[in-house]
């Protein structure tokens, strides 16, 4: 799907590919661990293009492989990848033509003053679309025209979005490679200049200088320009690291998420004021003088008597799927909607969720799972609290088992919508057993306001968690993607409100929501999620609206 290459403008052959590195699946290839170099009989037959793909030219300036060596490789056993560097791609039918076209364009018609450039499209020639990142550079050469040789680092991908999202990372990594080559070439250039008269002065004076290189004198290779015989091995190591980091989790492509921007702003404030009591952690866990729990709160044990073992606190919700399954087992709080969808409704719309229990670790695991579904700025959490706090202070509230709720909350469903989950373990059962699974604990769900028509995001999350064949790793990625998708819609909503500071009719609101792929039931979710937009993004939106 992608490869990295070094290209060169040869004075004899024009634009040419010097070396390219690509990834091949390691499974099934006869490669011994610890290898670094191979000849044509080791694994060339197992590559996609076969032995014919590993070809090399005789021109020193266009050749990268040492004599009797067709390719170099690095085996990434953990990632099941074989990173192969050769003269040309191992799949010549498609990749060779695309790489050749990119090489011609970089060294002939494509020019960018800033150095790095991008070109390509999804419907390009050569057997399909191709997107190219190119970073041209020059190396000092006393025997070349203009006293410099032209090179370029290319990165080809069929996924243009991935290429552009990785742009800053590719620019930085290629700049490191180019800087190393330039330093080595400059040192060699200075050494050759000090050994004789200045090549530039000799060319200006015209004494002892032939305008064209003699045909019996071959062009100089990159190893000669840098005075480093192992320069291609070093390039293979750099390209392999670049390609492996590009395809794996070593890079974080694209614009930072709103959660990352919010965390960065908190860290910046903490650095500016080291004496501030706010360390950026939203979870508040008080340290009571005694363990609190059921009953009247007296005594030395909060679990109903002395001798109760603390390992019972290890009863936790292990995943969102586990939480969903456990809520489905509890008696329904509403007849029209299941408990988990009701929980999602209150969570995603900003209503307060209260979890009352004598097991602090259980409440902590519950809110940790819920926070994964919300932007970081949309969650205010208090854990193991001994008094009720109103929603403006926290929307995720963990109360001790003996904490009572005010009487007015049950009757004020419009002003203070809330979902209450009660988990009161039997004290005698806890005293008899060191550990009770969560599934054996009684869980009661109540609410003072039945759910309104369900938003799309509720059904989207519930369907993902209800898919039994979806692996946990894929589930995490899909949930994160859904959160970022709705955060983008919230950004669009915030920009719309900033650009048009006035009251809108129902028809205008419906038309705007329809343009985002949303319905009227999603409006309350979007308004609440605008709180998740970081301060940096808000300033950018306001600035663009004022221009």
């Amino acid at each position: 799907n992608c490869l990295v290459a070094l290209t060169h403008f040869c004075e004899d052959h024009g634009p040419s590919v010097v070396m390219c590195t690509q990834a091949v699946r390691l499974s099934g290839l006869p490669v011994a661990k610890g290898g670094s170099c191979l000849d044509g009989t080791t694994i060339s037959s197992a590559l996609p293009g076969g032995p014919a793909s590993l070809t090399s030219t005789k021109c020193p300036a266009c050749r990268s492989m040492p004599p009797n060596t067709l390719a170099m490789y690095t085996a990434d056993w953990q990632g099941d990848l074989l990173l192969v560097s050769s003269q040309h791609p191992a799949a010549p039918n498609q990749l060779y033509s695309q790489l050749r076209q990119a090489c011609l364009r970089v060294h002939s018609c494509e020019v960018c003053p800033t150095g790095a450039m991008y070109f390509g499209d999804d419907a390009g020639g050569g057997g399909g679309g191709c997107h190219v990142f190119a970073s041209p550079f020059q190396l000092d050469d006393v025997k070349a025209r203009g006293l410099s040789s032209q090179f370029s680092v290319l990165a080809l991908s069929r996924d243009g979005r991935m290429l552009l999202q990785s742009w800053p990372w590719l620019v930085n990594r290629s700049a490191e490679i180019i800087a190393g080559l330039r330093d080595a070439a400059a040192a060699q250039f200075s050494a050759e200049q000090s050994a004789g008269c200045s090549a530039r002065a000799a060319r200006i004076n015209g004494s002892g200088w032939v305008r064209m290189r003699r045909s019996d004198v071959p062009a100089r290779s990159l190893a000669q320009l840098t005075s480093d015989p192992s320069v291609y091995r070093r390039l293979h190591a750099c390209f392999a690291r670049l390609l492996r980091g590009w395809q794996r989790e070593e890079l974080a492509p694209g614009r930072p998420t709103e959660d990352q921007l919010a965390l960065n702003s908190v860290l910046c404030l903490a650095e500016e004021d080291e004496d501030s009591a706010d360390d950026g952690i939203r979870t508040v866990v008080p340290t009571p003088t005694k363990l609190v729990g059921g009953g009247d709160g007296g005594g030395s044990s909060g679990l109903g008597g002395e001798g109760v073992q603390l390992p019972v606190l290890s009863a936790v919700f292990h995943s969102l799927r586990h939480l969903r399954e456990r809520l489905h087992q509890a008696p329904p709080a509403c007849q029209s909607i299941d408990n988990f969808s009701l929980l999602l409704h209150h969570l995603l719309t900003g209503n307060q969720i209260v979890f009352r229990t004598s097991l602090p670790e259980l409440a902590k695991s519950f809110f940790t799972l819920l926070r994964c579904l919300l932007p970081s700025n949309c969650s205010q959490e208090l854990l193991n609290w001994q008094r009720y706090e109103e929603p403006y202070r926290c929307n995720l509230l963990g109360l001790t088992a003996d904490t009572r709720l005010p009487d007015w909350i049950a009757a004020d469903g419009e002003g203070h919508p809330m979902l209450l989950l009660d988990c009161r373990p039997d004290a005698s059962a806890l005293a008899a057993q060191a550990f009770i699974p969560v599934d054996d604990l009684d869980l009661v769900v109540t609410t003072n306001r039945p759910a309104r028509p369900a938003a799309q995001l509720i059904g989207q999350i519930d369907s993902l968690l209800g898919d039994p064949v979806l692996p946990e790793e894929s589930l995490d990625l899909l949930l994160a993607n859904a959160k970022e998708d709705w955060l983008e819609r919230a950004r669009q909503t915030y920009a719309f409100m900033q650009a048009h500071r006035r009251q809108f009719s129902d028809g205008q609101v419906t038309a705007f929501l329809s343009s985002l792929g949303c319905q009227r039931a999603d409006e309350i979710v979007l308004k609440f999620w605008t709180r998740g937009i970081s301060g940096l993004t808000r300033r950018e939106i306001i600035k663009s609206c004022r221009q």
Side-chain angles (χ1 to χ4, degrees):
N1 192 37
C2 53
L3 61 84
V4 183
L6 176 71
T7 62
H8 168 55
F9 187 88
C10 179
E11 294 184 2
D12 293 335
H13 305 98
S16 60
V17 179
V18 179
M19 185 177 72
C20 69
T21 304
Q22 60 188 127
V24 180
R25 281 297 172 190
L26 192 58
S27 304
L29 297 184
V31 185
K33 290 187 178 181
S36 61
C37 222
L38 58 100
D39 55 23
T41 61
T42 306
I43 66 167
S44 60
S45 59
L47 293 175
S53 64
L54 300 179
T55 58
S56 182
T57 181
K58 295 182 179 180
C59 176
C62 303
R63 186 178 65 219
S64 56
M65 295 298 109
N68 302 322
T69 301
L70 295 179
M72 292 180 287
Y73 76 93
T74 298
D76 181 7
W77 301 97
Q78 183 178 3
D80 192 30
L81 291 177
L82 184 69
L83 301 158
V84 182
S85 292
S86 57
Q87 184 76 45
H88 302 299
N93 294 335
Q94 182 174 351
L95 289 177
Y96 178 78
S97 60
Q98 293 175 342
L99 180 57
R100 179 64 180 170
Q101 290 177 11
C103 176
L104 290 172
R105 293 181 63 174
V106 168
H107 293 288
S108 59
C109 58
E110 298 291 348
V111 179
C112 183
T114 59
M117 67 179 75
Y118 160 81
F119 55 87
D121 54 65
D122 291 325
C130 179
H131 301 265
V132 182
F133 163 88
S135 183
F137 62 97
Q138 299 178 354
L139 296 181
D140 295 333
D141 184 1
V142 296
K143 296 185 178 180
R145 298 175 182 176
L147 299 178
S148 63
S149 295
Q150 310 295 324
F151 292 87
S152 180
V153 174
L154 303 183
L156 278 72
S157 175
R158 296 173 187 169
D159 189 346
R161 182 176 182 180
M162 181 184 73
L163 184 72
L164 293 177
Q165 284 180 336
S166 309
W167 182 270
W169 191 84
L170 289 173
V171 170
N172 293 334
R173 299 290 82 77
S174 61
E176 294 174 359
I177 297 173
I178 293 172
L181 293 175
R182 279 178 172 167
D183 292 342
Q188 177 64 13
F189 184 84
S190 300
E192 292 178 348
Q193 289 283 77
S194 61
C197 64
S198 171
R200 189 179 302 276
R203 294 190 181 190
I204 293 176
N205 297 331
S207 58
W209 177 67
V210 181
R211 290 184 177 275
M212 296 184 63
R213 193 182 70 253
R214 293 165 47 186
S215 60
D216 59 338
V217 179
R220 300 206 298 174
S221 66
L222 182 62
Q224 294 173 315
L225 295 182
T226 58
S227 188
D228 183 5
S230 60
V231 64
Y232 292 114
R233 286 179 176 269
R234 300 181 190 277
L235 277 177
H236 165 72
C238 293
F239 284 177
R241 179 177 177 272
L242 189 150
L243 194 61
R244 182 170 48 189
W246 189 12
Q247 293 186 335
R248 296 175 63 182
E249 58 272 359
E250 294 178 16
L251 69 114
R255 174 188 172 91
T257 63
E258 294 298 328
D259 290 351
Q260 292 171 338
L261 292 174
L263 178 61
N264 292 339
S265 64
V266 171
L267 294 178
C268 291
L269 291 175
E271 291 177 358
E272 294 176 0
D273 186 8
E274 296 181 355
D275 297 331
S276 174
D278 182 10
D279 60 355
I281 301 177
R282 295 182 175 275
T283 300
V284 182
V285 182
T287 305
T289 57
K290 60 181 180 179
L291 288 176
V292 293
D296 56 1
S300 61
S301 172
L303 299 178
E306 297 185 4
V308 179
Q309 300 296 322
L310 287 180
V312 72
L313 300 182
S314 61
V316 295
F317 295 106
H318 302 291
S319 65
L320 285 169
R321 281 175 169 165
H322 182 208
L323 174 61
R324 177 177 180 270
E325 179 182 356
R326 186 62 188 87
L327 287 176
H328 283 172
Q329 297 173 359
C334 298
Q335 297 298 327
S336 59
I337 187 173
D338 61 90
N339 287 335
F340 186 73
S341 297
L342 181 64
L343 171 67
L344 290 179
H345 169 78
H346 285 278
L347 175 71
L348 300 177
T349 56
N351 297 338
Q352 190 177 50
I353 297 176
V354 179
F355 193 90
R356 187 165 54 185
T357 182
S358 58
L359 305 177
E361 291 298 322
L362 182 64
K364 182 179 179 180
S365 67
F366 175 76
F367 289 126
T368 299
L369 294 174
L370 294 188
R371 287 202 311 270
C372 297
L373 301 176
L374 285 178
S376 60
N377 283 347
C378 289
S379 60
Q380 296 285 348
E381 178 181 331
L382 294 176
L383 275 181
N384 203 28
W385 219 245
Q386 297 180 348
R387 66 177 184 276
Y388 174 75
E389 298 289 349
E390 295 198 27
Y392 75 90
R393 286 210 53 197
C394 64
N395 58 330
L396 303 178
L397 177 60
L399 297 178
T400 57
D402 58 343
T403 304
R404 293 179 56 86
L405 297 179
D407 296 334
W408 55 266
I409 291 183
D412 193 13
E414 279 296 323
H416 294 81
M418 185 190 69
L419 182 72
L420 173 64
L421 295 93
D422 267 306
C423 183
R424 299 175 181 267
D426 184 26
S428 59
L430 293 180
Q433 304 180 37
F435 176 79
I436 294 182
V438 178
D439 296 342
D440 294 342
L441 300 175
D442 293 332
L443 185 63
V444 179
V445 182
T446 56
T447 181
N448 62 354
R449 183 178 183 180
R452 292 182 176 180
Q456 296 182 52
L457 184 55
I458 297 176
Q460 187 177 355
I461 295 176
D462 189 64
S463 62
L464 288 175
L465 295 175
D467 190 348
V469 299
L470 196 62
E472 288 293 334
E473 295 80 3
S474 301
L475 177 62
D476 293 340
L477 291 175
L478 290 173
L479 289 175
N481 181 70
K483 184 169 77 170
E484 289 303 315
D485 178 30
W486 281 83
L487 259 176
E488 177 60 31
R489 302 185 193 190
R491 281 193 289 266
Q492 297 290 338
T493 304
Y494 182 78
F496 179 75
M497 293 188 299
Q498 290 295 323
H500 308 281
R501 291 179 171 273
R502 56 186 178 84
Q503 294 292 331
F504 300 99
S505 64
D506 290 344
Q508 290 174 323
V509 174
T510 302
F512 171 73
L513 293 175
S514 178
S515 68
L516 298 179
C518 300
Q519 303 173 357
R520 291 305 296 260
D522 303 316
E523 181 181 3
I524 187 173
V525 176
L526 294 176
K527 288 184 177 180
F528 173 61
W529 279 46
T530 56
R531 302 181 185 178
I533 302 174
S534 64
L536 176 62
T537 302
R538 290 176 182 269
R539 289 191 294 270
E540 292 176 351
I541 292 175
I542 294 174
K543 182 179 179 180
S544 62
C545 292
R546 291 178 178 176
Q547 292 177 350

